[in-house]
Amino acid sequence: MAQTQHDTPLIPISESKRFISECLQAVGAPKKHADDMGDLLVAADYRGHFSHGMNRLEMYVNDITSGTCDAKVEPKILKETVATAWVDGQNGLGAVVGNFCIAVAIKKAKEVGIGLVTAKHSNHFGINSMYTLQAVKQGLLGMAFTNTSPFVTATRSKKIEIARRKGVPIPQGWAQDKDGRATTDTKTAMTQGSCLMPLGGIELHSGYKGYGLAFLVEIFSAILSGATYGPNIRPWMTTDRIADLGHGFIAINPQCFASDFESRLSDLMNVIRNSEPADPSKPVLVPGDSEKLHMAAIDKAGGIRYLPNQMETCKKLSEQLKVKPLTGS
Amino acid sequence: MAQTQHDTPLIPISESKRFISECLQAVGAPKKHADDMGDLLVAADYRGHFSHGMNRLEMYVNDITSGTCDAKVEPKILKETVATAWVDGQNGLGAVVGNFCIAVAIKKAKEVGIGLVTAKHSNHFGINSMYTLQAVKQGLLGMAFTNTSPFVTATRSKKIEIARRKGVPIPQGWAQDKDGRATTDTKTAMTQGSCLMPLGGIELHSGYKGYGLAFLVEIFSAILSGATYGPNIRPWMTTDRIADLGHGFIAINPQCFASDFESRLSDLMNVIRNSEPADPSKPVLVPGDSEKLHMAAIDKAGGIRYLPNQMETCKKLSEQLKVKPLTGS
């Protein structure tokens, strides 16, 4: 999803972070929390997941200004063992809740090999890798789960929103309308009553496995934590009530198992990377490789070029919130 | 995958278990271990997962007679914390290793909220639900992971083998031949060099997510435990070397999080079951529902009717191992 072909200014990473933080501070977020959100959103853009980057800023601003998200609060632990914790996000910012929870999970994993932390009363927490990579940096495995509004699955939704920003249709098979008919129109796909097919698609192609996975994510996010779940969650982009999203975080210490974890994992990744591609122009990748390529391209370019539609949204935000416009070269 | 339309005898559950246990005892398994394997395989047939039931018996017999699986040994713990354990399966029977590991995970989950157990030096452990349901019976959540021979993914393989037993083709999109071309022929799909597409299929339909999931399973099964992994595992059905499969087991105690876990989970399942089906003849199910329907049908019929090809295999096994034939009415 490279976005470097547009006739828009090149925005340095630091400038994107500055803009996001100042917008959130303008609506009442403390600087530390606003900076956390800036780190979260720009990490998404940097890694190539533009749906979860600057694209989310207006939604987060709306959550705060509507009063359905409290940008000032800190999460708190309600119950814990040496290996688990149950957290009340107190309806705070998603990145604030997420950073708190993964830190607790990491501490427990270091002490007893595994840490499982679930949170209720949270808000949209952005890209999962923001949290899992914090575990990885400590030599641990990290996993993160979240639920979201019932309109879409978290993973598929992004593509449709980016297609909407671009004004192009989506491929057949991604979404269905309220009567169960496939649609390629982004507006129809984002209309109430429409929904996305689970990973795998139809039953014959094992779509029920993707559906089962969605169940698993809902259990780790909301059924354990006591957050709102499934169809009870407020519709996407609405702010008539709190989101009360749920998250789950797992950190695992490989040193509690066989030695040389990292060398085995590297070997497996390299074996797969070196396998012969079906299309020679598309090398075989492992999870994280496409993000590394994207980050290298951003580094080389010296910044990010956002879509014209996104720049327009940022201009409106800067006017509305009286924040210095997002500026590049 | 109902198999009740065949002109084969109706085999009571107890008779299937007797036959499996006696076959495995005939090749040297202690009665307790042979009974465990009988419980495992018949549980699969009972739940409708025929690929992982009686269908597997000849492979398990071959594993033992070739000397690549030691039916007599017990697993042992190599390293543990209050929340984790690393187990050496000592190359024993899959069900013996699996039952041992999930019992350890359950004990830890009851004590500290979560238990993660990984095992190396194991063999094919059958249906995952054999282990996860042991956790569920104790009021816990259960998860089980295993790797397998690189020829197939564990979940997709069963359908192809049952199609092979029936002598019918598989749908387009399940498998590809050694040159990356789709195939509907079961023999081609099971030939060395062929492989199955990950959940999701092609890249546009998010097949990379199914591929990422396969990575996750490999990490929980073999990279943590130090078992053989990925393409290094012996090809399917071969016995020239030990399988050295890896497994992972997680048990979680919901009481360490929000109260009323079970009522929330039941509510979510019922909301989904009561949603309007796209095809009125196919009600919306939740995970486990199709198995419950199948078990009720078997109970009503008073036993299982195996495919003619399967009955023929059992007849050969009874002659070869001098075991009383599988007998029904």
Side-chain angles (χ1 to χ4, degrees), chain B residues 299-314:
Chain B
D299 287 343
K300 194 179 169 196
I304 301 164
R305 287 194 199 275
Y306 290 103
L307 288 167
N309 177 303
Q310 181 65 65
M311 290 304 293
E312 190 58 35
T313 299
C314 289

Side-chain angles (χ1 to χ4, degrees), chain B residues 80-131:
Chain B
E80 68 181 318
T81 72
V82 292
T84 66
W86 177 38
V87 168
D88 184 341
Q90 305 224 78
N91 199 33
L93 288 163
V96 173
V97 179
N99 287 337
F100 178 87
C101 290
I102 193 66
V104 173
I106 287 170
K107 184 167 179 290
K108 291 177 187 295
K110 286 186 171 181
E111 287 168 0
V112 298
I114 187 166
L116 167 61
V117 178
T118 73
K120 65 173 179 175
H121 294 161
S122 189
N123 284 283
H124 195 275
F125 80 178
I127 51 169
N128 285 45
S129 56
M130 192 70 191
Y131 313 105

Side-chain angles (χ1 to χ4, degrees), chain B residues 68-70 73-76 78 86-94 97-98 118-124 147 221-222 225-228 242-247:
Chain B
T68 59
C69 171
D70 184 343
V73 295
E74 303 285 347
K76 65 176 180 185
L78 298 174
W86 177 38
V87 168
D88 184 341
Q90 305 224 78
N91 199 33
L93 288 163
V97 179
T118 73
K120 65 173 179 175
H121 294 161
S122 189
N123 284 283
H124 195 275
N147 64 4
S221 305
S225 72
T228 302
I242 65 167
D244 188 21
L245 298 187
H247 315 310

Side-chain angles (χ1 to χ4, degrees), chain B residues 3 32 72 88 95 99 147 161 167 183 210 219 222 224 231 253:
Chain B
Q3 300 191 313
K32 163 108 190 29
K72 295 185 170 67
D88 184 341
N99 287 337
N147 64 4
E161 282 187 77
T183 182
I219 289 171
L224 280 170
N253 186 355

Side-chain angles (χ1 to χ4, degrees), chain A residues 67-69 91 121-123 228 234 239-245:
Chain A
T68 60
C69 170
N91 200 31
H121 293 161
S122 189
N123 284 283
T228 302
R234 70 182 190 189
T239 53
D240 61 321
R241 53 193 152 124
I242 65 168
D244 187 21
L245 298 187

Side-chain angles (χ1 to χ4, degrees), chain A residues 79 81 112 118 155-156 159 174 204 206 208-209 211 213 223-224 229 255 257-258 264 267 272 285, chain B residues 79 81 112 118 155-156 159 174 204 206 208-209 211 213 223-224 229 255 257-258 264 267 272 285:
Chain A
K79 200 190 277 189
T81 72
V112 298
T118 73
T155 38
R156 285 277 181 96
K159 294 182 190 171
W174 281 12
L204 186 69
S206 302
Y208 57 86
K209 288 177 193 166
Y211 161 53
L213 277 168
I223 305 297
L224 280 171
Y229 52 85
Q255 290 181 20
F257 304 94
R264 279 193 302 282
D267 176 62
I272 292 173
L285 304 175
Chain B
K79 200 189 279 189
T81 72
V112 298
T118 73
T155 38
R156 285 279 180 95
K159 296 180 189 171
W174 280 12
L204 186 69
S206 302
Y208 56 87
K209 288 178 193 165
Y211 161 53
L213 277 170
I223 306 297
L224 280 170
Y229 52 85
Q255 291 182 20
F257 303 94
R264 278 194 302 282
D267 176 60
I272 292 174
L285 304 175

Side-chain angles (χ1 to χ4, degrees), chain A residues 211-230:
Chain A
Y211 161 53
L213 277 168
F215 243 101
L216 178 95
V217 173
E218 195 72 48
I219 288 171
F220 272 102
S221 305
I223 305 297
L224 280 171
S225 71
T228 302
Y229 52 85

